[in-house]
Amino acid sequence: MTDNVIEASALTKRYGRATAVDGISFTVGRGEIFGLLGPNGAGKTTTILMMLGLTDVTAGTVRVLGHDPVREPLQVKRVVGYLPDTVGFYDYMTAEDNLRYTAALIGIPLADRDKRITSALERVGLQDVGHKHVGAFSRGMRQRLGLAEILMKDVSVAILDEPTSGLDPHATSELLEMIRSLKRDGVAVLLSSHLLERVQSVCDRVALFHSGRIALLGTVPELAREVLGGGYNVEVEADGEGLALRFSEIGGVKAVDQSGPARYRLLADRDVRPQAAAAVVNAGGALRRLSVEEPSLDAIYNHYFETHGGQNAAA
Amino acid sequence: MPQREGSPWRGLNVVFFRELFDHLTSVRMLVLEFLVVLFGAAVVYFAAEQIRNTTAEDPFLFLRLFAPPGQSLLSFVVVISILVPIMSIGLGFDAVNGEYNRRTMSRILSQPIYRDALLFGKFLAGLTTLTICLVTLWLLVIGFGLLRLGIPPGAEEIGRLLIFLLVTIAYAGVWLALSLLLSVVFRSTATAALVALGLWLFLSLLWPALAQMLGGVISPPDIRFAQLGLPTPDTLAWQQGLSRLSPGTLYGEAVVAMLNPDAQSMTTLLAQFQGRIGSPLPLDESIVQAWPQIVSLIAGTILLYVVGYVAFQRQEVRA
């Protein structure tokens, strides 16, 4: 028994001649937040549908908690919660009634239903509007109701397709916080998004999709090291003699740019702020500003496809 | 393809009861019921007045209430044969594509049920709704007849009326299965509704005339029969066979057999052979007469449902 809840190997989906997903392999561990990232049409949703058994697998295998979605779809759908891209509800029914219908389909015992619905609505902050018709709900509220459905289902894996698309920044950060709370419950979360920057902060590991393939797979710092050769941009503003030299001697620093009279930019493969501070103090300088910029997925993605784009397109 | 695990019926009752509840409480259903009751009440009232004024002795008084003799347009049966397809189409045209448009389909199908349960639950709920409406209407007309005519129906009349009710439900089933199929095929609910109504108009208005013409083309009438003023048997067989592709024709023939025991339009030759012209057919022979039509209606329902089922199973869930 491995600790992986999802294992995909050489997963392929073809529609006629077009290949939507081209032999991808990845694993998602228990309680991990895994991001399927990439532009629209890169094969993220198709991959998700294959994991749920909602579309046929052309080649390769996928296992969700050891079950094959093609052969045992009910087993898979019992332990997986799915929040589709722009989730829909029955507008003429109340939020609670919508959840009651799903609860009945899931087969939650009648005695537990209302209790679980109430607590799920509370966790997503919809307890006050549970008896209102969903037709009046904003997009953010619908997404949260979809999340409540997953909470009510009490799943081991949550699959969220573009959960933040179309949400304002405030609603996005609220939703991301709820996704983090899922992880705290030990739920493995697989989320897809084309907005790399927004979801970067919640993902433990990411898979960057490009035209049906996984171009890059790993944690964000790993990818930064691999692609950018560094990743952490440490900005230092300090006076002092020979600081540039001292900075370049710090372990992990790849390059030092002097961008102004007393401004330095350090490109490093880890967070070197403590060492940089020590270097300034040791040089007898005055430290005025010290900040770090984590490697951004956007930068990684763009850099990767600037260098690899040509050959990928040809392949 | 490996065997799939679990029961395809899981969740069927949940879908069924929710859809049924939806239908029974929807404004759409209210409008349809209102239409049917309005039209039904009007024609039954006229039929009852006519019966009170003219028919003194008739063994099938109650049947006249449903299908007054000589009154072809203003009879309850005709109203039903027009309104039942509209009701069925009204209930089914957005059954599947509506779920896609509301973007609820993938969310519902990601619950532990098979698509079978969703589609069959929707079909059964629609059919049950129609059955409830038709039974209510049927009882209303009989009750009205009891009050207005003042005599109870005989056992044979009740039997005939019951079979008429069953045939009507089967007829409703055909149109419901057709509109369900169209709701699978077309992603736009408006297109599905239009195509369903178009098919209904074509089959009920145009097809009978077209069948006559096509039958004549496929098997031209023989001059020898024409000189005697008789239809050519081959031509007649083609014309009848073609016109029976329309569920309306099948329904009409079955209803005539059940409600007009003395009208022997279909098997005139057979009746002449048996020397029984003029006397009404007993119930069992009426059933035998209507049997092929009844079976065809049920078979048509199943066939259309299966086509819709296969199309739905192969459909991509992605909205």
Side-chain angles (χ1 to χ4, degrees), chain A residues 61-301:
Chain A
T61 56
V62 59
R63 292 283 179 279
V64 180
L65 288 162
H67 299 296
D68 179 358
V70 178
R71 215 159 47 80
E72 309 164 286
L74 297 194
Q75 289 289 350
V76 169
K77 291 194 267 186
R78 238 170 240 133
V79 292
V80 178
Y82 175 44
L83 179 68
D85 185 7
T86 57
V87 63
F89 290 91
Y90 300 102
D91 285 351
Y92 53 90
M93 284 161 65
T94 65
E96 280 168 357
D97 282 345
N98 266 294
L99 290 190
R100 274 194 199 106
Y101 179 45
T102 326
L105 285 176
I106 297 167
I108 297 174
L110 203 58
D112 289 357
R113 259 177 228 173
D114 280 2
K115 203 171 61 200
R116 276 164 76 168
I117 289 170
T118 314
S119 75
L121 285 175
E122 262 169 31
R123 271 190 66 180
V124 299
L126 291 177
Q127 66 274 24
D128 297 332
V129 290
H131 56 277
K132 291 224 172 94
H133 288 245
V134 180
F137 278 24
S138 70
R139 178 149 185 169
M141 287 161 91
R142 281 164 203 261
Q143 297 291 86
R144 281 194 281 167
L145 188 56
L147 217 52
E149 189 177 274
I150 293 174
L151 288 168
M152 172 189 78
K153 200 170 173 182
D154 197 14
V155 293
S156 329
V157 184
I159 297 180
L160 318 174
D161 196 357
E162 299 278 1
T164 60
S165 74
L167 298 188
D168 61 57
H170 180 64
T172 302
S173 60
E174 270 184 350
L175 199 78
L176 291 180
E177 188 42 51
M178 284 167 204
I179 292 171
R180 281 196 196 92
S181 87
L182 274 174
K183 175 190 162 79
R184 283 197 288 277
D185 293 349
V187 178
V189 181
L190 188 136
L191 73 99
S192 90
S193 182
H194 67 279
L195 303 165
L196 312 183
E197 203 95 39
R198 286 235 192 122
V199 295
Q200 157 172 22
S201 56
V202 293
C203 290
D204 295 322
R205 283 194 306 145
V206 298
L208 285 179
F209 271 64
H210 184 74
S211 51
R213 297 185 188 180
I214 293 181
L216 292 164
L217 179 79
T219 64
V220 177
E222 271 171 21
L223 298 187
R225 261 200 298 283
E226 192 181 316
V227 177
L228 303 177
Y232 287 88
N233 269 318
V234 177
E235 298 256 0
V236 188
E237 271 185 57
D239 294 330
E241 292 296 312
L243 277 181
L245 187 65
R246 282 174 184 267
F247 287 146
S248 64
E249 284 166 355
I250 298 170
V253 172
K254 302 273 186 214
V256 179
D257 273 349
Q258 186 154 10
S259 48
R263 280 187 182 181
Y264 304 89
R265 175 187 285 252
L266 280 57
L267 184 66
D269 60 5
R270 65 187 94 117
D271 189 356
V272 292
R273 275 179 299 177
Q275 291 89 330
V280 174
V281 172
N282 286 342
L287 182 63
R288 278 197 293 276
R289 193 167 86 93
L290 183 61
S291 69
V292 68
E293 207 179 279
E294 295 221 351
S296 109
L297 267 178
D298 274 332
I300 295 170
Y301 195 85

Side-chain angles (χ1 to χ4, degrees), chain A residues 46 77 88 90 92 106 149, chain B residues 10 22 99 107 109 318:
Chain A
T46 308
K77 291 194 267 186
Y90 300 102
Y92 53 90
I106 297 167
E149 189 177 274
Chain B
R10 200 182 173 282
D22 268 9
E99 299 274 353
R107 192 174 57 83
L109 287 183
R318 182 198 298 264

Side-chain angles (χ1 to χ4, degrees), chain B residues 67-300:
Chain B
Q71 273 275 14
S72 58
L73 256 181
L74 268 180
S75 78
F76 183 75
V77 168
V78 170
V79 167
I80 283 291
S81 74
I82 291 172
L83 287 183
V84 158
I86 295 183
M87 283 173 71
S88 304
I89 291 168
L91 286 180
F93 78 95
D94 65 344
V96 172
N97 47 18
E99 299 274 353
Y100 284 112
N101 293 344
R102 278 192 300 255
R103 297 183 163 273
T104 45
M105 186 58 97
S106 52
R107 192 174 57 83
I108 296 301
L109 287 183
S110 73
Q111 307 309 332
I113 57 161
Y114 280 114
R115 296 184 192 194
D116 311 45
L118 189 70
L119 195 69
F120 198 50
K122 278 174 179 289
F123 178 74
L124 274 189
L127 199 61
T128 307
T129 311
L130 288 164
T131 303
I132 291 172
C133 288
L134 291 171
V135 168
T136 314
L137 202 62
W138 185 82
L139 287 173
L140 276 176
V141 174
I142 290 184
F144 175 80
L146 280 175
L147 287 175
R148 201 72 190 146
L149 302 178
I151 48 157
E156 192 189 330
E157 281 182 296
I158 290 291
R160 283 177 181 277
L161 288 175
L162 268 177
I163 294 170
F164 160 70
L165 183 65
L166 291 178
V167 174
T168 309
I169 292 169
Y171 179 56
V174 174
W175 289 105
L176 186 66
L178 177 71
S179 63
L180 208 63
L181 164 64
L182 293 173
S183 86
V184 172
V185 174
F186 297 105
R187 276 291 161 99
S188 147
T189 53
T191 312
L194 266 180
V195 171
L197 287 174
L199 270 175
W200 167 66
L201 278 176
F202 174 76
L203 285 175
S204 53
L205 289 182
L206 218 55
W207 184 246
L210 218 58
Q212 295 298 316
M213 205 192 77
L214 282 177
V217 171
I218 293 168
S219 166
D222 196 316
I223 193 79
R224 285 167 295 175
F225 285 95
Q227 275 171 346
L228 291 169
L230 289 171
T232 312
D234 276 357
T235 314
L236 195 65
W238 269 105
Q239 286 170 340
Q240 276 193 341
L242 284 174
S243 70
R244 281 176 187 155
L245 285 178
S246 160
T249 309
L250 288 174
Y251 177 65
E253 287 179 1
V255 165
V256 166
M258 293 322 299
L259 297 186
N260 276 351
D262 34 23
Q264 291 160 352
S265 55
M266 279 190 302
T267 48
T268 320
L269 287 174
L270 182 72
Q272 276 175 345
F273 210 65
Q274 293 171 334
R276 211 201 272 121
I277 210 147
S279 68
L281 278 180
L283 177 58
D284 54 343
E285 287 203 24
S286 287
I287 295 176
V288 169
Q289 239 187 21
W291 192 248
Q293 278 79 6
I294 299 173
V295 171
S296 303
L297 284 174
I298 296 172

